[in-house]
Amino acid sequence: MSVREFVRSKVPTDIDRFDRRLALVSVLRPPSGLIIPLVVLLAFMFVGPIASIVLFSVQPTNTISLAVADWTLDAYREIVQGTISGKGVYGEVTTNTIMISALTTVIAFAVSYPAAYALATKVRRFKLPILIALIIPLFTSVNIRVYGWVLFLINEGVFDLLAGSVGLDAPSIIYTRSAVILGTVYVYLPYMLFPIYLSISTIDDSLLEAAADLGAGRTKQFVDVILPLSKPGVIIGSLFVFVLSLGAEVEAELLGGGTIYTAASNISYSFGYSQNWPLGSAQAVGLLLITTVCGVVILRTIDLTEIASRGGSR
Amino acid sequence: MSMRSDRSLVPQLSTGLWYGYLVLVIAFLMTPLLSLIIASFDSGQTFSLPFEFTLKWYSNALTSTSVQSAVDSTIRISIPVTVLSTIIGTAGAIAYTRYSFPGQEYFKIVALLPIFFPLILLGLGMSMWANVTGLGYGIVPAIIGETVWISPIVMFVVSISALGVDPNIEEAARDLGADTLTIYKDVLLPLIVNGIVSGGIFAFVLSWNNYYIVSYLKGSEITITTWIHGRMTQGFTPVVPALASMIFYVSLLLLLVAVLMELRSSR
């Protein structure tokens, strides 16, 4: 019997209380005390909501309270049958959503890559103002920015004002799928640009010097050094843009003018107008799975230390 | 990257082209914001040609009682969200960057995952969850909901700043006899304070501009973004571009302050 155990057997209550207090203090000691608030918050209001989406998707039509025992696959059946038979909007929704997200990703990549490359390798002067100009849109409400596009594109809008002053007259693309894609490319472009910019700016200068010393011209340096080394940024950016544009609702609502249905607008319709939570949830589960997988892949690839050391405004 | 010493005309010309391309991208990013500002100064009931300058929509926006109550609700949400997510996000960032503990990488993945979620998914999941748990809808649920999305962003911003601080600095302070509290108060926090302030400003601006989460959790409250959205889709008034522009001006100002803080910290 150790001294401690001996003492405890004599005065059990006091020591127990002291031990417990000690245990509490050590639980709250950093890092645990620093982690707990975030973990509790996410467990309550992030994991809980995700679980609700999954659980509601297996509830009977039009329920708004959970009875987990009465599970059914009705909502999924309706979506699958709707997609196969081609009746209703599901077929169109799937085509629209995939088309919009895929095209948005491709266009955002095509626009961003040269910009990210220029920013990382060519730009020396005015770098900070350029960076600020590129992040400003991210901090403005999505519906305000998309509404700005509506004002630009509508008949007799800002575009017509500008085009008219130089004698141009072009038909507007508003309320078409192209307009929705313009909106999603616009909103998610920075999510493609910045990962690519960061990955190009982490490339060690000496690698390019070595390549040049070995006789590689500028084109060869680009194809054999910069392009492969910027791949992580391209992958992260593409996943980011693809996933986020799957969730594009305001873009479809305002720029599609209620004629272009996407997964997000359909989900929101199920929740809002038709009050069918299980049907909306079942559609959301697909989106949820894709999002979680892509999110985890992105986060496993991101190295914060590298961003901190290279991503500054050098 | 190495600059070639041959300062001939060709590389200068190509640099000019790269700058020109960036200017085009920026022009694209600015188009809707500038359109909004142009429309906010137009006197028509709906934006239409010819353009006539006026300031009356700005004064209408500032005197409208429904706008004032929307601003009021937004502030009652944004300030608690800013305080909470700055504290929670900073704590998470310090834990992740200044300590090593089992499951650290899993902590990073889970803690930052909400950033990658389309907000509509978060919003509707939270809306059902608020109903199931009896949390209900209104100011408090909206605060909790936004904090879930914004704390990870603050954690990200503060982490970047905290990773720039020498990892041995706490050890040195401890060797000199400082206890944990002193290390935080006198060493670590002063070193990352610029990151925390800019994280806090980001939090405020993001909360102020949040639409999806708040629209699912607000209940009967009307915030600025939901007011604007309502007026865009039904019952349009020309006050909308003016109010949206004013929000943009304020966000822009705050963002510039945050960027300058970050810049000072990286010097």
Side-chain angles (χ1 to χ4, degrees), chain A residues 221-239:
Chain A
Q221 283 178 37
F222 177 77
V223 173
D224 288 348
V225 182
I226 296 181
L227 207 55
L229 287 175
S230 62
K231 215 166 78 185
V234 174
I235 292 171
I236 291 175
S238 305
L239 290 175

Side-chain angles (χ1 to χ4, degrees), chain B residues 160-212:
Chain B
I160 298 295
S161 162
L163 283 167
V165 177
D166 189 332
N168 300 316
I169 208 152
E170 285 107 327
E171 194 115 358
R174 192 161 282 127
D175 288 348
L176 293 170
D179 57 18
T180 307
L181 201 66
T182 316
I183 291 175
Y184 273 61
K185 194 162 64 67
D186 294 341
V187 182
L188 188 57
L189 291 178
L191 281 170
I192 60 171
V193 71
N194 285 328
I196 298 173
V197 172
S198 52
I201 294 176
F202 286 169
F204 183 77
V205 174
L206 289 171
S207 165
W208 185 258
N209 280 298
N210 182 272
Y211 167 69
Y212 282 115

Side-chain angles (χ1 to χ4, degrees), chain A residues 44 64 111 139 147 186 302, chain B residues 21 29 108 129 131 209 236:
Chain A
F44 176 62
I64 58 160
V111 174
F139 289 87
Y147 182 65
Y186 175 81
I302 288 180
Chain B
Y21 182 72
L29 290 176
K108 177 191 90 174
W129 179 245
N131 184 57
N209 280 298
F236 179 82

Side-chain angles (χ1 to χ4, degrees), chain A residues 194-218:
Chain A
F194 283 102
I196 299 179
Y197 162 65
L198 285 173
S199 68
I200 298 181
S201 53
T202 52
I203 296 173
D204 203 331
D205 294 351
S206 57
L207 268 177
L208 291 172
E209 278 161 28
D213 288 347
L214 293 170
R218 283 181 180 273

